[in-house]
Amino acid sequence: MSEEQIFDVTIIGGGPTGLFGAFYAGMRQMSTKVIDGLEELGGQLTALYPEKFIYDMPGFPQVKAKDLVRAQVEQGLQYGAEVALGEKITGIEMREDHVWRLISEKGREHLTRTAVITAGAGSFAPKKLPSTDAERWEGRGVYYFVKDPQQFAGQRVLIVGGGDSALDWALHLERLAEKVTLIHRRDKFRAHEESVEQLKHSTVETNLFWEIGDIRGDGRVQEVQIFENRSQERRDLQVDAIILALGFSADVGPIKNWGLELDGNTIKVNSRMETNLPGIYAAGDVVTYEGKLKLIATGVSEAAIAVNHAKTYIDPSSRAFPGHSSEIVK
């Protein structure tokens, strides 16, 4: 099946970076399509962390991920960008007329003059504990992320991990749960300094150098054994839920086969967000360059850079810098 319309730019990835790219493309009067393999826009913010607070977006002292996505969808689609969800792009190739064919796993074909890859970390799967039987308790008290914090209200919750997600959820659930216990196998956290400081002054019971052992229960999680990894001391905890906040393994998947210059799971770009393929740009967590920081704030900036240079690729007489938005009449 072929989509006859040729778009000026197609955004591959419907997370925050891609949505801002769609907004900027619309402001540059480019016909735009957004494609995402998920069934809803928002990327990881929607799929994994809708209730999580984000603190480092300009203009928002704090904003829930789902609320940020809602605002970005309104902003990003205001110029009429077409959206194709549940469409995982598996291959790209350039036709003789220099139009790119983006081919989905469903066999559909999307035609575009330029593309901006904003695929984030690609597909993601939660990291698991190979030495425990946690997998058999999944959905029965073992979780890898929190979509609805209210489900833990009044419960005894054990959180395992030492990164941002582990500390964020420990602090967030502190006011909802009956009790929150955090264990981490080291004495160094990988979280923001401010979160670590807040944890020190919270009611969360924090145990360093402790790991998870046997999980027990009658149909659902009721008890877990934890152990101190230096002395091998063991202790039983009565719990209702265990959150394994151990991070995610990312894989850019088919992107590896598109002929792009890669560095591991990231795409190499220059200062104009150009890849090594003509008319193909990239932005957000999926890209790498010297000094790269993986933040939503930098991702949306990169999206604007990519789209503006895509505009000049299509129309060399146009300027990369369109002027400030306050000067543009809608």
Side-chain angles (χ1 to χ4, degrees):
M1 179 179 175
S2 176
E3 294 287 324
E4 293 298 327
Q5 183 178 358
I6 300 173
F7 288 83
D8 290 329
V9 61
T10 297
I11 313 286
I12 304 174
T17 298
L19 288 168
F20 193 74
F23 158 72
Y24 226 100
M27 198 164 64
R28 294 304 310 263
Q29 299 184 326
M30 301 167 75
S31 58
T32 307
K33 178 182 280 188
V34 179
I35 303 176
D36 199 288
L38 299 175
E39 295 294 339
E40 55 186 334
L41 294 168
Q44 289 191 34
L45 296 188
T46 299
L48 301 180
Y49 311 119
E51 297 291 337
K52 189 173 179 180
F53 280 109
I54 296 170
Y55 301 95
D56 54 3
M57 274 298 287
F60 294 96
Q62 70 174 33
V63 58
K64 279 189 177 180
K66 66 180 183 181
D67 296 328
L68 177 62
V69 168
R70 187 182 300 115
Q72 284 206 287
V73 168
E74 180 181 350
Q75 180 189 43
L77 303 185
Q78 65 182 291
Y79 293 103
E82 186 171 312
V83 177
L85 297 175
E87 289 269 345
K88 186 176 182 180
I89 300 301
T90 55
I92 65 172
E93 59 182 56
M94 179 180 272
R95 302 193 317 193
E96 290 184 0
D97 59 357
H98 301 290
V99 169
W100 284 98
R101 296 173 63 239
L102 310 180
I103 305 157
S104 83
E105 62 183 353
K106 295 181 178 178
R108 293 186 64 194
E109 191 177 272
H110 304 268
L111 304 179
T112 189
R113 295 179 178 86
T114 65
V116 182
I117 303 169
T118 59
S123 60
F124 39 86
K127 292 181 180 178
K128 302 187 178 184
L129 292 170
S131 59
T132 72
D133 62 348
E135 284 192 52
R136 76 183 185 92
W137 294 98
E138 291 173 5
R140 295 188 295 142
V142 167
Y143 307 88
Y144 294 97
F145 50 87
V146 178
K147 292 201 74 169
D148 179 14
Q150 288 297 328
Q151 75 182 101
F152 301 102
Q155 294 191 0
R156 298 161 298 179
V157 181
L158 172 66
I159 298 177
V160 183
D164 284 316
S165 289
L167 270 67
D168 286 349
W169 287 125
L171 294 168
H172 189 85
L173 295 178
E174 177 190 13
R175 57 183 176 270
L176 290 173
E178 177 184 324
K179 181 178 182 180
V180 177
T181 304
L182 174 77
I183 62 172
H184 182 39
R185 62 190 177 90
R186 302 169 54 215
D187 63 344
K188 302 290 184 184
F189 291 105
R190 293 171 285 104
H192 286 293
E193 295 91 338
E194 184 179 355
S195 297
V196 175
E197 191 63 26
Q198 288 181 31
L199 184 69
K200 291 177 182 177
H201 299 286
S202 72
T203 61
V204 175
E205 180 184 323
T206 303
N207 299 280
L208 303 179
F209 294 109
W210 285 77
E211 299 184 44
I212 190 170
D214 293 336
I215 302 172
R216 310 176 188 120
D218 183 12
R220 283 193 60 84
V221 169
Q222 294 173 314
E223 184 179 78
V224 60
Q225 186 179 83
I226 61 174
F227 64 93
E228 215 273 8
N229 57 29
R230 297 169 301 179
S231 67
Q232 296 303 305
E233 176 191 348
R234 294 182 179 270
R235 186 151 56 97
D236 292 334
L237 297 180
Q238 303 302 307
V239 298
D240 303 298
I242 301 170
I243 300 171
L244 299 176
L246 306 172
F248 291 84
S249 299
D251 186 359
V252 292
I255 291 176
K256 294 176 181 177
N257 304 317
W258 294 358
L260 294 159
E261 188 177 357
L262 301 176
D263 181 1
N265 272 328
T266 54
I267 302 169
K268 291 184 177 181
V269 293
N270 61 19
S271 60
R272 294 182 292 276
M273 298 298 121
E274 294 171 322
T275 71
N276 60 304
L277 300 180
I280 303 294
Y281 302 79
D285 284 359
V286 77
V287 308
T288 186
Y289 53 83
E290 186 177 357
K292 165 70 179 176
L293 292 175
K294 291 189 176 184
L295 298 170
I296 298 175
T298 53
V300 295
S301 171
E302 293 159 2
I305 294 169
V307 166
N308 280 319
H309 285 289
K311 175 72 173 182
T312 65
Y313 177 87
I314 296 170
D315 177 11
S317 67
S318 65
R319 295 188 306 161
F321 179 57
H324 298 104
S325 63
S326 56
E327 301 166 356
I328 298 171
V329 178
K330 276 194 172 184

